[in-house]
Amino acid sequence: MVQAYGADTGNGSAERPEPGESRFRSLLDRARRDRGIWRRGIVLALCSVVLTLVMAVHAQIPNRVGNLGSLIETFLPWIAVFIPVLLLLALLRRSATALIALLLPAVVWLNTFGGLITDKSGTGGDLTVATHNVNAGNPDPAGTAQQVAGSGADVVALQELPGSQVSTYEKSLAARYPYHSVQGTVGLWSKYPLSNTRPVDIKMGWTRAMRSTVKAPQGEVAVYVAHLPSVRVKLRAGFTANQRDSSADALGEAIADEPVERVVLLGDLNGTMNDRALKAVTSQMRSTQGAVGDGFGFSWPASFPMARIDQIMVKGVEPKSSWTLAATDSDHLPLAARVQL
């Protein structure tokens, strides 16, 4: 009689784990034995909580001291740069607490700005508009004008036009745009007739805003061009934006009183859509970049764009696509958008 004393394994040896699986089990076992994995990294976890609160309740950060709230809101999307830094530190500290806490700012940031990462631009539209702060010290105004006109825009708004260079811009754009008006340091060029053109008082003491009715084939649209006062970050004064804020309120009032139903605002607002100081304007208009843009659309500074302080905004008009144009000799990037009248 033949008896079997062992089980047939097929290859004579026990099954061995894969190398990767073995390393994972080793790390898991080590983590289980590490009793400090939850106690380490408390400070890093608190940093993640602070980032989360800044993004979640930024509108509640007071502006009374140095316009701190507006300053944070101007660069709010850049809070994301702290997330990978905290991730690296949490891994180096081998802290489960810090890693879990890091999910909070990551989720809030994606919920707030995730929609701006992708390209939301569509097709269609019957009017293309462009805007550019050309910079008063631009060494090549003619080339800058031609470059912006090369975008194919039907309507072009320019800001920061020095009086000595207005004629250069007029000559460079005359062939493509038979209708134009310059009011103070801002100007509007159009392929279609302009009417009811006038400066807009934004409480600066000189003209840096205007409006005009563009008689496009699809109907009339009121186009505003604005260059709000500049802002500065000073050590003792903080974010000096009070004059900008007052001008934004005046511009918002003018747009609210506009009798034409369809309105387009083109210009350098020296502020982002997140800045609560611009709410007089942003509360009644849509950003084309936010609605149908390709990415964040940062426009300043041109050498390394960090904020979208130049804006194309609409009311009573359907945006279809929005994008930034190639850099010129200005310190701002030009912007363009296509809308449906």
Side-chain angles (χ1 to χ4, degrees):
M1 176 181 292
V2 179
Q3 296 180 344
Y5 292 95
D8 184 5
T9 62
N11 56 12
S13 62
E15 184 178 350
R16 296 180 179 178
E18 294 292 330
E21 182 182 356
S22 178
R23 286 193 294 270
F24 176 75
R25 287 181 179 177
S26 176
L27 290 173
L28 187 60
D29 291 340
R30 190 184 306 172
R32 288 172 177 171
R33 292 193 299 269
D34 186 356
R35 297 181 179 180
I37 195 169
W38 297 103
R39 294 194 296 269
R40 287 192 301 269
I42 299 299
V43 173
L44 293 176
L46 291 176
C47 290
S48 293
V49 172
V50 170
L51 286 183
T52 304
L53 291 175
V54 169
M55 288 186 288
V57 298
H58 61 84
Q60 308 306 318
I61 299 175
N63 254 347
R64 289 187 296 272
V65 180
N67 289 306
L68 180 61
S70 288
L71 177 61
I72 291 175
E73 288 168 337
T74 298
F75 300 101
L76 196 61
W78 289 94
I79 283 183
V81 303
F82 294 104
I83 295 177
V85 173
L86 290 175
L87 174 61
L88 177 61
L89 293 176
L91 292 174
L92 291 175
R93 287 285 290 156
R94 298 199 304 274
S95 168
T97 301
L99 286 173
I100 292 175
L102 193 57
L103 291 174
L104 294 174
V107 169
V108 172
W109 190 92
L110 287 173
N111 181 65
T112 305
F113 299 108
L116 296 175
I117 298 175
T118 59
D119 183 0
K120 303 179 295 299
S121 58
T123 58
D126 45 36
L127 184 72
T128 301
V129 298
T131 182
H132 190 27
N133 179 328
V134 296
N135 187 3
N138 193 313
D140 184 18
T144 295
Q146 289 294 330
Q147 191 169 333
V148 176
S151 66
D154 303 304
V155 176
V156 172
L158 301 181
Q159 306 90 50
E160 209 166 296
L161 293 169
S164 60
Q165 293 182 354
V166 168
S167 61
T168 301
Y169 285 102
E170 290 175 332
K171 292 176 182 177
S172 300
L173 296 172
R176 297 195 186 201
Y177 303 99
Y179 309 97
H180 87 281
S181 176
V182 175
Q183 305 284 329
T185 61
V186 297
L188 184 67
W189 278 259
S190 174
K191 294 181 179 179
Y192 309 120
L194 303 177
S195 64
N196 298 323
T197 303
R198 62 178 182 271
V200 174
D201 182 11
I202 55 173
K203 314 301 181 185
M204 291 189 64
W206 70 96
T207 301
R208 286 193 13 171
M210 63 175 288
R211 65 84 63 201
S212 185
T213 300
V214 176
K215 296 185 177 181
Q218 295 78 17
E220 292 186 347
V221 55
V223 177
Y224 282 73
V225 185
H227 183 193
L228 298 189
S230 299
V231 296
R232 298 287 186 272
V233 180
K234 298 181 180 179
L235 184 61
R236 295 183 178 181
F239 192 48
T240 57
N242 292 335
Q243 189 179 18
R244 188 276 315 265
D245 299 348
S246 298
S247 292
D249 291 341
L251 178 62
E253 291 177 9
I255 294 174
D257 294 337
E258 173 59 51
V260 178
E261 180 180 356
R262 293 177 287 199
V263 183
V264 174
L265 170 62
L266 307 168
D268 175 5
L269 303 189
N270 273 306
T272 68
M273 293 296 295
N274 295 315
D275 191 340
R276 93 284 299 270
L278 301 183
K279 64 181 179 181
V281 176
T282 57
S283 63
Q284 58 179 317
M285 305 190 79
R286 297 176 67 191
S287 163
T288 59
Q289 188 69 25
V292 293
D294 180 4
F296 284 94
F298 294 147
S299 63
W300 178 88
S303 57
F304 187 82
M306 296 183 65
R308 186 180 176 90
I309 62 174
D310 303 272
Q311 305 290 347
I312 299 177
M313 304 179 69
V314 297
K315 181 171 71 171
V317 173
E318 186 65 27
K320 292 297 182 180
S321 56
S322 186
W323 64 97
T324 57
L325 300 172
T328 67
D329 282 315
S330 171
D331 57 341
H332 292 245
L333 292 178
L335 311 177
R338 189 151 180 83
V339 300
Q340 181 75 41
L341 298 184

mmCIF file of all heavy atoms in Angstrom, residues 1-5:
data_model
loop_
_atom_site.group_PDB
_atom_site.id
_atom_site.type_symbol
_atom_site.label_atom_id
_atom_site.label_comp_id
_atom_site.label_asym_id
_atom_site.label_seq_id
_atom_site.Cartn_x
_atom_site.Cartn_y
_atom_site.Cartn_z
ATOM 1 N N MET A 1 0.855 -1.187 0.000
ATOM 2 C CA MET A 1 0.000 0.000 0.000
ATOM 3 C C MET A 1 0.890 1.235 0.000
ATOM 4 O O MET A 1 1.843 1.335 0.732
ATOM 5 C CB MET A 1 -0.908 0.012 1.241
ATOM 6 C CG MET A 1 -1.741 1.274 1.325
ATOM 7 S SD MET A 1 -2.783 1.283 2.789
ATOM 8 C CE MET A 1 -3.907 -0.053 2.343
ATOM 9 N N VAL A 2 0.532 2.141 -0.836
ATOM 10 C CA VAL A 2 1.291 3.386 -0.928
ATOM 11 C C VAL A 2 0.494 4.492 -0.251
ATOM 12 O O VAL A 2 -0.679 4.670 -0.535
ATOM 13 C CB VAL A 2 1.555 3.765 -2.400
ATOM 14 C CG1 VAL A 2 2.316 5.079 -2.461
ATOM 15 C CG2 VAL A 2 2.325 2.660 -3.085
ATOM 16 N N GLN A 3 1.135 5.218 0.668
ATOM 17 C CA GLN A 3 0.482 6.299 1.381
ATOM 18 C C GLN A 3 1.158 7.630 1.060
ATOM 19 O O GLN A 3 2.361 7.692 0.868
ATOM 20 C CB GLN A 3 0.533 6.067 2.895
ATOM 21 C CG GLN A 3 -0.247 4.828 3.323
ATOM 22 C CD GLN A 3 -0.179 4.631 4.819
ATOM 23 O OE1 GLN A 3 0.656 5.219 5.487
ATOM 24 N NE2 GLN A 3 -1.073 3.812 5.344
ATOM 25 N N ALA A 4 0.364 8.644 1.027
ATOM 26 C CA ALA A 4 0.904 9.984 0.777
ATOM 27 C C ALA A 4 1.121 10.670 2.101
ATOM 28 O O ALA A 4 0.231 10.720 2.945
ATOM 29 C CB ALA A 4 -0.062 10.816 -0.073
ATOM 30 N N TYR A 5 2.330 11.162 2.303
ATOM 31 C CA TYR A 5 2.673 11.813 3.573
ATOM 32 C C TYR A 5 2.771 13.347 3.439
ATOM 33 O O TYR A 5 2.987 14.029 4.400
ATOM 34 C CB TYR A 5 4.020 11.280 4.101
ATOM 35 C CG TYR A 5 3.930 9.842 4.536
ATOM 36 C CD1 TYR A 5 4.283 8.825 3.660
ATOM 37 C CD2 TYR A 5 3.473 9.520 5.814
ATOM 38 C CE1 TYR A 5 4.203 7.509 4.056
ATOM 39 C CE2 TYR A 5 3.392 8.193 6.209
ATOM 40 C CZ TYR A 5 3.768 7.187 5.328
ATOM 41 O OH TYR A 5 3.692 5.881 5.712
#
